[in-house]
mmCIF file of all heavy atoms in Angstrom:
data_model
loop_
_atom_site.group_PDB
_atom_site.id
_atom_site.type_symbol
_atom_site.label_atom_id
_atom_site.label_comp_id
_atom_site.label_asym_id
_atom_site.label_seq_id
_atom_site.Cartn_x
_atom_site.Cartn_y
_atom_site.Cartn_z
ATOM 1 N N PRO A 961 69.337 219.071 87.612
ATOM 2 C CA PRO A 961 68.311 220.099 87.851
ATOM 3 C C PRO A 961 68.064 220.913 86.586
ATOM 4 O O PRO A 961 68.894 220.933 85.672
ATOM 5 C CB PRO A 961 68.937 220.963 88.956
ATOM 6 C CG PRO A 961 70.410 220.708 88.874
ATOM 7 C CD PRO A 961 70.560 219.303 88.388
ATOM 8 N N ALA A 962 66.938 221.564 86.519
ATOM 9 C CA ALA A 962 66.567 222.350 85.333
ATOM 10 C C ALA A 962 67.638 223.393 85.045
ATOM 11 O O ALA A 962 68.151 224.051 85.950
ATOM 12 C CB ALA A 962 65.214 223.018 85.558
ATOM 13 N N GLY A 963 67.986 223.499 83.763
ATOM 14 C CA GLY A 963 68.946 224.511 83.342
ATOM 15 C C GLY A 963 70.391 224.062 83.363
ATOM 16 O O GLY A 963 71.281 224.806 82.930
ATOM 17 N N LEU A 964 70.667 222.867 83.861
ATOM 18 C CA LEU A 964 72.043 222.365 83.907
ATOM 19 C C LEU A 964 72.227 221.286 82.840
ATOM 20 O O LEU A 964 71.527 220.275 82.849
ATOM 21 C CB LEU A 964 72.361 221.791 85.289
ATOM 22 C CG LEU A 964 73.794 221.272 85.504
ATOM 23 C CD1 LEU A 964 74.808 222.400 85.351
ATOM 24 C CD2 LEU A 964 73.926 220.611 86.880
ATOM 25 N N LYS A 965 73.176 221.520 81.928
ATOM 26 C CA LYS A 965 73.444 220.535 80.880
ATOM 27 C C LYS A 965 73.936 219.228 81.508
ATOM 28 O O LYS A 965 74.622 219.239 82.526
ATOM 29 C CB LYS A 965 74.512 221.069 79.912
ATOM 30 C CG LYS A 965 73.938 221.761 78.687
ATOM 31 C CD LYS A 965 75.054 222.253 77.768
ATOM 32 C CE LYS A 965 75.422 221.211 76.721
ATOM 33 N NZ LYS A 965 76.804 220.920 76.570
ATOM 34 N N TYR A 966 73.576 218.113 80.867
ATOM 35 C CA TYR A 966 73.873 216.816 81.452
ATOM 36 C C TYR A 966 75.371 216.577 81.604
ATOM 37 O O TYR A 966 75.812 216.025 82.623
ATOM 38 C CB TYR A 966 73.251 215.702 80.601
ATOM 39 C CG TYR A 966 73.357 214.340 81.244
ATOM 40 C CD1 TYR A 966 72.612 214.027 82.383
ATOM 41 C CD2 TYR A 966 74.222 213.379 80.740
ATOM 42 C CE1 TYR A 966 72.726 212.790 82.996
ATOM 43 C CE2 TYR A 966 74.335 212.134 81.332
ATOM 44 C CZ TYR A 966 73.585 211.840 82.471
ATOM 45 O OH TYR A 966 73.700 210.616 83.079
ATOM 46 N N ASP A 967 76.178 216.993 80.621
ATOM 47 C CA ASP A 967 77.619 216.746 80.735
ATOM 48 C C ASP A 967 78.231 217.559 81.883
ATOM 49 O O ASP A 967 79.177 217.113 82.532
ATOM 50 C CB ASP A 967 78.348 217.012 79.407
ATOM 51 C CG ASP A 967 78.063 218.384 78.826
ATOM 52 O OD1 ASP A 967 77.120 219.054 79.265
ATOM 53 O OD2 ASP A 967 78.782 218.786 77.886
ATOM 54 N N HIS A 968 77.670 218.745 82.172
ATOM 55 C CA HIS A 968 78.121 219.523 83.327
ATOM 56 C C HIS A 968 77.730 218.818 84.632
ATOM 57 O O HIS A 968 78.515 218.771 85.585
ATOM 58 C CB HIS A 968 77.498 220.924 83.296
ATOM 59 C CG HIS A 968 78.058 221.815 82.238
ATOM 60 N ND1 HIS A 968 78.897 222.878 82.507
ATOM 61 C CD2 HIS A 968 77.916 221.803 80.882
ATOM 62 C CE1 HIS A 968 79.229 223.483 81.384
ATOM 63 N NE2 HIS A 968 78.639 222.851 80.374
ATOM 64 N N PHE A 969 76.541 218.290 84.658
ATOM 65 C CA PHE A 969 76.029 217.548 85.817
ATOM 66 C C PHE A 969 76.943 216.364 86.136
ATOM 67 O O PHE A 969 77.338 216.143 87.289
ATOM 68 C CB PHE A 969 74.610 217.091 85.499
ATOM 69 C CG PHE A 969 73.969 216.210 86.535
ATOM 70 C CD1 PHE A 969 73.649 216.699 87.791
ATOM 71 C CD2 PHE A 969 73.641 214.889 86.222
ATOM 72 C CE1 PHE A 969 73.034 215.887 88.738
ATOM 73 C CE2 PHE A 969 73.028 214.081 87.159
ATOM 74 C CZ PHE A 969 72.721 214.575 88.425
ATOM 75 N N VAL A 970 77.314 215.610 85.092
ATOM 76 C CA VAL A 970 78.193 214.457 85.278
ATOM 77 C C VAL A 970 79.590 214.917 85.687
ATOM 78 O O VAL A 970 80.247 214.291 86.534
ATOM 79 C CB VAL A 970 78.254 213.610 83.981
ATOM 80 C CG1 VAL A 970 79.239 212.465 84.144
ATOM 81 C CG2 VAL A 970 76.874 213.072 83.626
ATOM 82 N N GLY A 971 80.038 216.017 85.101
ATOM 83 C CA GLY A 971 81.356 216.543 85.438
ATOM 84 C C GLY A 971 81.467 216.931 86.902
ATOM 85 O O GLY A 971 82.515 216.722 87.547
ATOM 86 N N GLU A 972 80.392 217.491 87.455
ATOM 87 C CA GLU A 972 80.390 217.839 88.882
ATOM 88 C C GLU A 972 80.523 216.579 89.741
ATOM 89 O O GLU A 972 81.234 216.577 90.762
ATOM 90 C CB GLU A 972 79.106 218.587 89.236
ATOM 91 C CG GLU A 972 79.038 219.999 88.653
ATOM 92 C CD GLU A 972 77.711 220.692 88.929
ATOM 93 O OE1 GLU A 972 76.845 220.076 89.611
ATOM 94 O OE2 GLU A 972 77.537 221.831 88.481
ATOM 95 N N ALA A 973 79.862 215.509 89.323
ATOM 96 C CA ALA A 973 79.960 214.242 90.062
ATOM 97 C C ALA A 973 81.377 213.679 89.976
ATOM 98 O O ALA A 973 81.914 213.133 90.956
ATOM 99 C CB ALA A 973 78.954 213.239 89.508
ATOM 100 N N TYR A 974 82.006 213.814 88.820
ATOM 101 C CA TYR A 974 83.378 213.334 88.598
ATOM 102 C C TYR A 974 84.350 214.043 89.542
ATOM 103 O O TYR A 974 85.184 213.399 90.209
ATOM 104 C CB TYR A 974 83.746 213.589 87.136
ATOM 105 C CG TYR A 974 85.179 213.314 86.756
ATOM 106 C CD1 TYR A 974 85.623 212.020 86.500
ATOM 107 C CD2 TYR A 974 86.092 214.356 86.612
ATOM 108 C CE1 TYR A 974 86.939 211.771 86.130
ATOM 109 C CE2 TYR A 974 87.405 214.117 86.238
ATOM 110 C CZ TYR A 974 87.827 212.829 85.998
ATOM 111 O OH TYR A 974 89.121 212.592 85.625
ATOM 112 N N VAL A 975 84.242 215.367 89.630
ATOM 113 C CA VAL A 975 85.118 216.144 90.514
ATOM 114 C C VAL A 975 84.842 215.785 91.975
ATOM 115 O O VAL A 975 85.763 215.622 92.786
ATOM 116 C CB VAL A 975 84.911 217.659 90.269
ATOM 117 C CG1 VAL A 975 85.666 218.479 91.312
ATOM 118 C CG2 VAL A 975 85.362 218.030 88.863
ATOM 119 N N ARG A 976 83.577 215.630 92.305
ATOM 120 C CA ARG A 976 83.175 215.275 93.675
ATOM 121 C C ARG A 976 83.752 213.925 94.085
ATOM 122 O O ARG A 976 84.204 213.731 95.222
ATOM 123 C CB ARG A 976 81.649 215.268 93.750
ATOM 124 C CG ARG A 976 81.063 215.125 95.138
ATOM 125 C CD ARG A 976 79.543 215.210 95.048
ATOM 126 N NE ARG A 976 78.878 214.678 96.230
ATOM 127 C CZ ARG A 976 77.591 214.441 96.313
ATOM 128 N NH1 ARG A 976 76.803 214.683 95.255
ATOM 129 N NH2 ARG A 976 77.060 213.946 97.421
ATOM 130 N N LEU A 977 83.763 212.963 93.134
ATOM 131 C CA LEU A 977 84.313 211.634 93.419
ATOM 132 C C LEU A 977 85.805 211.729 93.726
ATOM 133 O O LEU A 977 86.303 211.053 94.637
ATOM 134 C CB LEU A 977 84.073 210.696 92.231
ATOM 135 C CG LEU A 977 84.454 209.232 92.472
ATOM 136 C CD1 LEU A 977 83.418 208.554 93.368
ATOM 137 C CD2 LEU A 977 84.579 208.464 91.155
ATOM 138 N N HIS A 978 86.527 212.550 92.964
ATOM 139 C CA HIS A 978 87.966 212.685 93.210
ATOM 140 C C HIS A 978 88.250 213.317 94.566
ATOM 141 O O HIS A 978 89.261 212.988 95.208
ATOM 142 C CB HIS A 978 88.626 213.474 92.072
ATOM 143 C CG HIS A 978 89.016 212.593 90.928
ATOM 144 N ND1 HIS A 978 90.252 212.003 90.831
ATOM 145 C CD2 HIS A 978 88.310 212.163 89.846
ATOM 146 C CE1 HIS A 978 90.308 211.258 89.736
ATOM 147 N NE2 HIS A 978 89.141 211.342 89.117
ATOM 148 N N ARG A 979 87.365 214.178 95.019
ATOM 149 C CA ARG A 979 87.532 214.743 96.367
ATOM 150 C C ARG A 979 87.312 213.655 97.418
ATOM 151 O O ARG A 979 88.015 213.603 98.437
ATOM 152 C CB ARG A 979 86.550 215.898 96.570
ATOM 153 C CG ARG A 979 86.912 217.139 95.758
ATOM 154 C CD ARG A 979 85.983 218.296 96.042
ATOM 155 N NE ARG A 979 86.270 219.423 95.154
ATOM 156 C CZ ARG A 979 85.364 220.169 94.574
ATOM 157 N NH1 ARG A 979 84.066 219.916 94.757
ATOM 158 N NH2 ARG A 979 85.692 221.186 93.801
ATOM 159 N N GLU A 980 86.330 212.793 97.176
ATOM 160 C CA GLU A 980 86.062 211.673 98.103
ATOM 161 C C GLU A 980 87.276 210.748 98.184
ATOM 162 O O GLU A 980 87.589 210.209 99.251
ATOM 163 C CB GLU A 980 84.852 210.867 97.618
ATOM 164 C CG GLU A 980 83.519 211.566 97.800
ATOM 165 C CD GLU A 980 82.952 211.399 99.199
ATOM 166 O OE1 GLU A 980 82.719 210.261 99.624
ATOM 167 O OE2 GLU A 980 82.765 212.438 99.873
ATOM 168 N N MET A 981 87.958 210.569 97.029
ATOM 169 C CA MET A 981 89.091 209.630 96.985
ATOM 170 C C MET A 981 90.305 210.140 97.746
ATOM 171 O O MET A 981 91.281 209.419 97.929
ATOM 172 C CB MET A 981 89.461 209.342 95.523
ATOM 173 C CG MET A 981 88.403 208.513 94.794
ATOM 174 S SD MET A 981 88.724 208.351 93.021
ATOM 175 C CE MET A 981 90.088 207.202 93.025
ATOM 176 N N GLU A 982 90.254 211.384 98.200
ATOM 177 C CA GLU A 982 91.343 211.898 99.031
ATOM 178 C C GLU A 982 91.310 211.257 100.424
ATOM 179 O O GLU A 982 92.296 211.296 101.149
ATOM 180 C CB GLU A 982 91.238 213.428 99.142
ATOM 181 C CG GLU A 982 91.511 214.135 97.821
ATOM 182 C CD GLU A 982 91.229 215.625 97.883
ATOM 183 O OE1 GLU A 982 90.925 216.132 99.002
ATOM 184 O OE2 GLU A 982 91.305 216.291 96.828
ATOM 185 N N ASP A 983 90.166 210.662 100.774
ATOM 186 C CA ASP A 983 90.022 209.924 102.037
ATOM 187 C C ASP A 983 90.455 208.480 101.782
ATOM 188 O O ASP A 983 89.800 207.752 101.014
ATOM 189 C CB ASP A 983 88.557 209.969 102.493
ATOM 190 C CG ASP A 983 88.346 209.256 103.834
ATOM 191 O OD1 ASP A 983 89.133 208.358 104.166
ATOM 192 O OD2 ASP A 983 87.381 209.609 104.531
ATOM 193 N N PRO A 984 91.563 208.019 102.402
ATOM 194 C CA PRO A 984 92.082 206.663 102.141
ATOM 195 C C PRO A 984 91.048 205.557 102.372
ATOM 196 O O PRO A 984 91.033 204.553 101.662
ATOM 197 C CB PRO A 984 93.258 206.525 103.112
ATOM 198 C CG PRO A 984 93.666 207.938 103.395
ATOM 199 C CD PRO A 984 92.398 208.737 103.367
ATOM 200 N N GLU A 985 90.191 205.726 103.377
ATOM 201 C CA GLU A 985 89.212 204.679 103.675
ATOM 202 C C GLU A 985 88.176 204.570 102.553
ATOM 203 O O GLU A 985 87.741 203.473 102.201
ATOM 204 C CB GLU A 985 88.523 204.978 105.011
ATOM 205 C CG GLU A 985 89.450 204.841 106.203
ATOM 206 C CD GLU A 985 88.719 205.085 107.517
ATOM 207 O OE1 GLU A 985 87.467 205.197 107.488
ATOM 208 O OE2 GLU A 985 89.388 205.146 108.558
ATOM 209 N N LYS A 986 87.766 205.702 102.016
ATOM 210 C CA LYS A 986 86.771 205.695 100.951
ATOM 211 C C LYS A 986 87.397 205.284 99.607
ATOM 212 O O LYS A 986 86.715 204.721 98.753
ATOM 213 C CB LYS A 986 86.129 207.075 100.811
ATOM 214 C CG LYS A 986 85.289 207.488 102.009
ATOM 215 C CD LYS A 986 84.707 208.880 101.804
ATOM 216 C CE LYS A 986 83.870 209.304 103.010
ATOM 217 N NZ LYS A 986 83.332 210.675 102.824
ATOM 218 N N LYS A 987 88.679 205.588 99.446
ATOM 219 C CA LYS A 987 89.329 205.363 98.153
ATOM 220 C C LYS A 987 89.283 203.900 97.735
ATOM 221 O O LYS A 987 89.031 203.591 96.565
ATOM 222 C CB LYS A 987 90.777 205.856 98.201
ATOM 223 C CG LYS A 987 91.477 205.766 96.848
ATOM 224 C CD LYS A 987 92.879 206.352 96.902
ATOM 225 C CE LYS A 987 93.538 206.249 95.530
ATOM 226 N NZ LYS A 987 94.894 206.835 95.520
ATOM 227 N N ALA A 988 89.497 202.980 98.668
ATOM 228 C CA ALA A 988 89.530 201.545 98.339
ATOM 229 C C ALA A 988 88.183 201.073 97.803
ATOM 230 O O ALA A 988 88.108 200.361 96.788
ATOM 231 C CB ALA A 988 89.929 200.739 99.567
ATOM 232 N N ALA A 989 87.116 201.487 98.459
ATOM 233 C CA ALA A 989 85.773 201.078 98.018
ATOM 234 C C ALA A 989 85.440 201.702 96.668
ATOM 235 O O ALA A 989 84.846 201.052 95.795
ATOM 236 C CB ALA A 989 84.735 201.492 99.055
ATOM 237 N N ILE A 990 85.831 202.950 96.518
ATOM 238 C CA ILE A 990 85.574 203.637 95.234
ATOM 239 C C ILE A 990 86.355 202.959 94.123
ATOM 240 O O ILE A 990 85.815 202.736 93.026
ATOM 241 C CB ILE A 990 85.948 205.136 95.352
ATOM 242 C CG1 ILE A 990 84.946 205.866 96.250
ATOM 243 C CG2 ILE A 990 85.990 205.790 93.970
ATOM 244 C CD1 ILE A 990 85.330 207.302 96.563
ATOM 245 N N GLU A 991 87.594 202.609 94.393
ATOM 246 C CA GLU A 991 88.424 201.977 93.369
ATOM 247 C C GLU A 991 87.800 200.663 92.901
ATOM 248 O O GLU A 991 87.807 200.347 91.703
ATOM 249 C CB GLU A 991 89.835 201.737 93.910
ATOM 250 C CG GLU A 991 90.802 201.121 92.909
ATOM 251 C CD GLU A 991 90.998 201.985 91.683
ATOM 252 O OE1 GLU A 991 90.971 203.226 91.784
ATOM 253 O OE2 GLU A 991 91.164 201.405 90.573
ATOM 254 N N GLN A 992 87.267 199.886 93.843
ATOM 255 C CA GLN A 992 86.616 198.631 93.485
ATOM 256 C C GLN A 992 85.410 198.898 92.579
ATOM 257 O O GLN A 992 85.196 198.199 91.581
ATOM 258 C CB GLN A 992 86.165 197.888 94.748
ATOM 259 C CG GLN A 992 85.549 196.517 94.450
ATOM 260 C CD GLN A 992 85.133 195.780 95.725
ATOM 261 O OE1 GLN A 992 85.488 196.196 96.832
ATOM 262 N NE2 GLN A 992 84.391 194.701 95.572
ATOM 263 N N GLY A 993 84.631 199.911 92.925
ATOM 264 C CA GLY A 993 83.472 200.252 92.107
ATOM 265 C C GLY A 993 83.853 200.741 90.714
ATOM 266 O O GLY A 993 83.180 200.411 89.727
ATOM 267 N N VAL A 994 84.944 201.485 90.640
ATOM 268 C CA VAL A 994 85.416 201.971 89.336
ATOM 269 C C VAL A 994 85.856 200.791 88.473
ATOM 270 O O VAL A 994 85.558 200.739 87.264
ATOM 271 C CB VAL A 994 86.570 202.985 89.516
ATOM 272 C CG1 VAL A 994 87.235 203.296 88.162
ATOM 273 C CG2 VAL A 994 86.056 204.273 90.149
ATOM 274 N N GLN A 995 86.561 199.832 89.069
ATOM 275 C CA GLN A 995 87.020 198.662 88.314
ATOM 276 C C GLN A 995 85.836 197.845 87.794
ATOM 277 O O GLN A 995 85.847 197.366 86.648
ATOM 278 C CB GLN A 995 87.924 197.787 89.185
ATOM 279 C CG GLN A 995 89.293 198.400 89.469
ATOM 280 C CD GLN A 995 90.085 198.675 88.201
ATOM 281 O OE1 GLN A 995 90.092 197.869 87.254
ATOM 282 N NE2 GLN A 995 90.748 199.820 88.168
ATOM 283 N N GLU A 996 84.805 197.676 88.627
ATOM 284 C CA GLU A 996 83.602 196.957 88.187
ATOM 285 C C GLU A 996 82.931 197.692 87.021
ATOM 286 O O GLU A 996 82.467 197.069 86.062
ATOM 287 C CB GLU A 996 82.615 196.818 89.355
ATOM 288 C CG GLU A 996 83.082 195.861 90.447
ATOM 289 C CD GLU A 996 82.177 195.903 91.673
ATOM 290 O OE1 GLU A 996 81.226 196.729 91.670
ATOM 291 O OE2 GLU A 996 82.422 195.128 92.628
#
């Protein structure tokens, strides 16, 4: 969004992904995507 630096934008997504990985069911699918 306007006014948000790109590296901050990506950093928010990075933190959000780690919160998602706290769910065991989601973690496996995420791990596969990270490896790819």
Side-chain angles (χ1 to χ4, degrees):
L964 182 62
K965 266 180 91 229
Y966 188 70
D967 53 346
H968 288 253
F969 175 67
V970 176
E972 290 176 2
Y974 173 80
V975 172
R976 189 177 162 191
L977 187 75
H978 274 269
R979 289 184 186 139
E980 287 277 300
M981 290 172 74
E982 292 172 6
D983 182 334
E985 292 182 8
K986 293 179 180 179
K987 185 176 180 179
I990 289 173
E991 182 60 34
Q992 184 179 349
V994 170
Q995 289 300 319
E996 290 172 357

